[in-house]
Amino acid sequence: LEEVELARELESSAIPPWRYPQKMLKAALWSSHQPSVYPVFLTNYGCGPDAFCLKQLKRLLPRTPHLVLEFDEHRGEAGLITRLEAFADEVSQHRAASRTAVRLKRVENPEAWPPEELKEIPLVLPYFADHAWAFAGALKKSGLKAEVLPPPDEHSLKLGESYSSGKECHAYSFLLGDLLKLATDRKPEERLIFFFPGARYSCLLQQYGPAMRQLLQELGQDRILLLTPTLDYFWKLIGFDGLKSLYQGLVAVDNLVRIACQLRPYEVNRGEVDQALQEGLRLIEEGLASESLAGALAKIKTRFSQIKVRPEDRPVIGIAGDIYTRQNSFANNRLFEQLEELGAEVWPSPFLVDEIDFTFSRGFYEKLAKGDLLETVKYAGLNLVREVNLAQVRKKLEFSDLKLKEPRFEELLRSSLTYLNYNNNQTLFLNVARIIDFARKGADGIINVICFNCMLGTTAAAISRRIQKDFGDIPLPTLIYGETETVSTRSRLEAFMEQVKTRHRKKQLAVS
């Protein structure tokens, strides 16, 4: 009954995947129907209700006094007693006052709509990564209206922070800032859908959409809808052909970004690679939208082939970490550019391609092991289509010999199972596998780039200490980015680069 009531009061995507937050919300819902019950939630710093659950608490208990007590080693008895006394006074006043039943207003979620109803409403994509252009192109190909916003800036961050508690991961503040900026910049009568990819795995990302919808409702911004689809709904929205186009686009952008990182430190004319990259991203979007990706890739190949580079020996740095922070230049404080200024070449991780490849490959082997012939054939077909599309895109961009080759599914398993079982969280497994792959393929240093409070990144950081030891004490720090950067990040980068250069020199001497 509690689960049914909770699902009725909250949209299903707003219910967190973790057991204890679910129990907390069920307790809050139950308390809201008990006239003499006032809940107290106990937690401790770094391990307790996340910011999104706290938002849902307020929604479930809009007029019921409740108290959240967070304990840490600095908690003093006097402060605790003061808060308890204030809470007791609030309860006394509430009991003395007359009460009326509260009916929560439903929050509209366009994922509940038939996909064809979205055809006439423009989709606006925040610049979560360069790969936003691939999403826009695939959406346009499928008959939807789509545009990509400019990258986030200080104004986005300021707006997002003003409506955040500080407990959310900073990707939420950036995306929320872009949403609020959109709400103030566009015409009041214009109806829009703010779109970015969602997640089904245990990550706070899956709570972004419900939290933003709730805030828009509170601000009276009902003309802007939130769409954060997972693969299942995206499949319904753009169909199998649309998904194939999206996959090709993601592969193309991944390779384009990797080529840019491989050329930029050595370019003769400063800024030429970045200019070619931006032109290439728009060509990919146009190519996907008009079903002429091959022609777009041919133009990109010609453009990049004309860039002059100088010979130079630089150490290489692999970048792993959470998907948003490692990919978004504003979120990681221009990390790639800073490393290049300090004398390095960057090896970036893919955006979502490795997640797609791993999902399909794992599905095939699991269904085969279970003897499910029909599902095995289905996944075999999906993998064949994926391989063909992958090969087609890479062949069109073969003008640069990429130093870093993507590992196959079997290679990932062999190298990573010593550290983590692949039945764990898939994103965590792939991040650990990426760190190992960088180390095995000769990176002189690796950075695990995460945002403050990222559970998966923090777990990867713990595992990375063993990887670091197993690979000859390779420099392998975890850089944590929050909403406000400090000079210590730059100092850590400089110290890291000194270690990397020392390791690189030793390798060169050993070879010679």
Side-chain angles (χ1 to χ4, degrees), residues 234-378:
F234 209 50
W235 192 316
K236 295 177 186 175
L237 185 63
I238 65 175
F240 186 65
D241 285 342
L243 285 178
K244 284 197 299 183
S245 295
L246 175 62
Y247 181 77
Q248 287 184 319
L250 293 175
V251 171
V253 175
D254 267 350
N255 280 267
L256 192 60
V257 170
R258 200 172 290 127
I259 291 166
C261 287
Q262 190 168 301
L263 296 179
R264 187 167 48 227
Y266 314 104
E267 63 185 354
V268 173
N269 302 312
R270 189 171 177 80
E272 189 176 6
V273 170
D274 279 339
Q275 183 180 353
L277 173 62
Q278 293 305 314
E279 292 171 4
L281 292 171
R282 284 162 177 78
L283 282 170
I284 289 172
E285 183 209 20
E286 293 167 6
L288 291 171
S290 59
E291 300 188 56
S292 57
L293 182 61
L297 296 180
K299 291 178 183 178
I300 293 170
K301 179 176 179 178
T302 301
R303 178 72 175 88
F304 270 86
S305 298
Q306 295 169 347
I307 295 175
K308 296 179 181 179
V309 295
R310 59 181 180 276
E312 186 181 339
D313 181 36
R314 287 184 174 222
V316 292
I317 309 298
I319 304 295
D322 81 66
I323 293 177
Y324 182 89
T325 310
R326 78 184 186 214
Q327 292 283 350
N328 192 291
S329 179
F330 190 75
N332 61 39
N333 199 24
R334 296 176 51 254
L335 177 63
F336 290 17
E337 291 88 339
Q338 288 195 66
L339 288 170
E340 290 167 359
E341 289 166 6
L342 291 169
E345 176 189 323
V346 171
W347 282 358
S349 294
F351 181 66
L352 284 176
V353 168
D354 55 347
E355 292 267 0
I356 297 169
D357 291 355
F358 193 84
T359 298
F360 284 2
S361 297
R362 182 166 70 172
F364 171 77
Y365 284 108
E366 287 181 348
K367 299 304 179 184
L368 182 64
K370 292 178 180 177
D372 190 335
L373 182 60
L374 187 61
E375 286 294 305
T376 300
V377 171
K378 169 188 165 184

Side-chain angles (χ1 to χ4, degrees), residues 43-60:
T43 177
N44 62 283
Y45 178 73
C47 180
D50 58 73
F52 300 100
C53 286
L54 294 177
K55 295 178 196 297
Q56 298 294 357
L57 267 186
K58 292 180 180 177
R59 182 158 184 251
L60 292 171

Side-chain angles (χ1 to χ4, degrees), residues 142-157:
S142 303
L144 291 129
K145 303 172 185 176
E147 69 168 289
V148 179
L149 292 174
D153 54 22
E154 292 294 339
H155 182 44
S156 308
L157 180 57

